[in-house]
Amino acid sequence: MNQLWSVYHNEIPIFFREFSAAPPMARLKDVGMNCGCEYTDFPLFRDIGSYSRYDHSLGVALIVWHFTRSVEQALAGLFHDIATPVFAHVVDFLKGDYLRQESTEEGTAERIAASPEICGLLERHGLAVEQVADCRRYPIADNPSPALSADRLEYTLGNLLNYGFADLGRIRAFYEDLTVGEDEAGRPELVFRTPETAAAFARAALQNSRVYVADEDRFAMQALADLLKLALERGTLGWEELWSTETKVVRKLETDPVCGPAWRRFRGCSHVLQREERPETGYWVRVGAKKRWIDPLAQGMGRVSAWDAEAKARMEAFQRLDHSRWLGAE
């Protein structure tokens, strides 16, 4: 997905390259954005391309840099996923945090501070760990949902491209319509110059949102979380190995006599099943979802939901989605 980097900014600053080459950042090249769903055979995910947390993190940093020219804000964007484990939010499911999906954000400062490469570069730039360890300090980098931030913008544009919902030309049109404005409280926020583009972006983002909470997505993440739990209980994996790479973890799963067959069953899932009541046999899950959507601002108009009735209705319908059925797969 690094073809989007040139959309976000016309060049990658040298200091980005230096920080992103540090081992804790390079590890993210082998941690996916789709939380393990891309390993299944579900049609939703079967043909998507490679999209890593490294791709996303550098993209977020470039967006922040493009709109702020602030080194510390851009680095906070770059490091915001440095503590992400393999399969990303699957570990939230493992911890029972599937509705907030925030437990994987823990430990960012510790992992930055533990890297001599990153600390040496920070010292050269006159920066302290605490200045770059929490991107929520900087509203352009991150802000409360459903507002638009660099983090939310990057994974929206990246997934629109990866899922085939938009081509590069449309993505560029969305991006080039953005500027820095203010939210309702006077804090900086990325806003669209034209209301038509803001409304089109909100509708496009909802296409992604429905994938994020689809039956296939929720089933796959819970099934993989349960497989990781089994691997931890068996000693096939150690807890800290979840912060290695997906290649290493998959290799361990594949070679275990119990986890290996379970991993192959997971990979073969191609069709989701729904039941109102839990069947007496088989593997079934009933799991909710964190509902992510974006209600962006247009200059002089406010949030899209305030003036576009159709967009508001779609957002509200999304928030009412029912996830009470039991899910299985074959």
Side-chain angles (χ1 to χ4, degrees):
M1 298 301 293
N2 56 18
Q3 65 262 50
L4 290 179
W5 293 345
S6 62
V7 173
Y8 300 148
H9 196 66
N10 59 3
E11 63 178 357
I12 300 176
I14 291 176
F15 75 92
F16 276 27
R17 297 183 186 275
E18 293 173 334
F19 279 101
S20 61
M25 285 300 304
R27 178 187 73 87
L28 297 180
K29 294 179 180 180
D30 200 356
V31 177
M33 281 294 289
N34 283 284
C35 302
C37 296
E38 67 271 33
Y39 291 91
T40 70
D41 200 35
F42 288 126
L44 263 179
F45 305 106
R46 183 183 299 153
D47 298 321
I48 60 175
S50 175
Y51 185 17
S52 72
R53 292 278 158 176
Y54 180 89
D55 296 330
H56 168 64
S57 297
L58 190 50
V60 172
L62 286 169
I63 293 170
V64 175
W65 177 252
H66 182 80
F67 287 104
T68 70
R69 292 302 196 277
S70 165
V71 174
E72 61 265 37
Q73 291 187 52
L75 288 177
L78 183 68
F79 296 142
H80 81 284
D81 270 350
I82 200 170
T84 298
V86 296
F87 311 121
H89 292 298
V90 166
V91 175
D92 289 322
F93 279 63
L94 179 61
K95 294 181 176 181
D97 185 36
Y98 55 80
L99 291 180
R100 295 186 310 125
Q101 295 186 17
E102 293 177 354
S103 67
T104 48
E105 298 174 5
E106 299 167 356
T108 298
E110 291 81 358
R111 293 188 181 268
I112 293 172
S115 169
E117 296 88 355
I118 292 176
C119 288
L121 289 166
L122 288 175
E123 184 176 357
R124 187 198 304 172
H125 286 272
L127 294 171
V129 170
E130 56 267 23
Q131 289 177 270
V132 299
D134 184 3
C135 67
R136 287 170 292 193
R137 294 177 57 172
Y138 309 112
I140 293 298
D142 194 16
N143 54 24
S145 178
L148 184 59
S149 65
D151 179 28
R152 224 162 275 128
L153 174 65
E154 203 294 319
Y155 70 65
T156 298
L157 297 180
N159 282 322
L160 286 175
L161 184 63
N162 211 16
Y163 297 150
F165 295 154
D167 61 20
L168 201 57
R170 190 179 186 211
I171 286 169
R172 188 180 294 276
F174 284 145
Y175 190 74
E176 292 181 350
D177 197 61
L178 288 166
T179 188
V180 176
E182 292 185 347
D183 70 4
E184 298 85 346
R187 295 166 298 204
E189 183 175 335
L190 297 174
V191 305
F192 288 94
R193 292 183 175 92
T194 60
E196 297 82 6
T197 307
F201 176 85
R203 289 193 293 271
L206 272 176
Q207 290 182 275
N208 284 347
S209 299
R210 290 182 176 273
V211 175
Y212 303 154
V213 302
D215 290 346
E216 294 88 341
D217 184 284
R218 288 163 30 246
F219 175 87
M221 291 178 72
Q222 186 61 58
L224 186 50
D226 288 340
L227 177 50
L228 292 179
K229 181 181 179 181
L230 174 64
L232 291 166
E233 290 173 346
R234 285 179 52 77
T236 305
L237 292 174
W239 186 255
E240 190 57 32
E241 288 181 284
L242 298 181
W243 281 267
S244 61
T245 66
E246 290 180 9
T247 297
K248 291 179 180 178
V249 168
V250 167
R251 187 179 299 121
K252 285 208 165 186
L253 294 176
E254 288 176 332
T255 56
D256 183 85
V258 174
C259 297
W263 171 253
R264 288 187 284 276
R265 286 193 297 273
F266 172 77
R267 294 220 58 187
C269 291
S270 62
H271 178 65
V272 72
L273 307 172
Q274 294 184 352
R275 298 290 186 270
E276 294 294 335
E277 301 292 333
R278 183 174 188 171
E280 294 183 1
T281 60
Y283 176 79
W284 297 86
V285 300
R286 183 168 63 181
V287 60
K290 180 177 181 178
K291 293 177 180 176
R292 307 169 187 264
W293 76 99
I294 302 174
D295 189 4
L297 290 165
Q299 268 187 334
M301 298 281 290
R303 301 212 177 268
V304 168
S305 63
W307 46 267
D308 188 316
E310 179 188 354
K312 180 180 180 180
R314 291 187 183 190
M315 293 177 195
E316 292 175 345
F318 171 72
Q319 294 169 60
R320 291 194 301 269
L321 288 175
D322 178 27
H323 296 141
S324 62
R325 294 182 180 85
W326 288 91
L327 304 177
E330 58 183 17

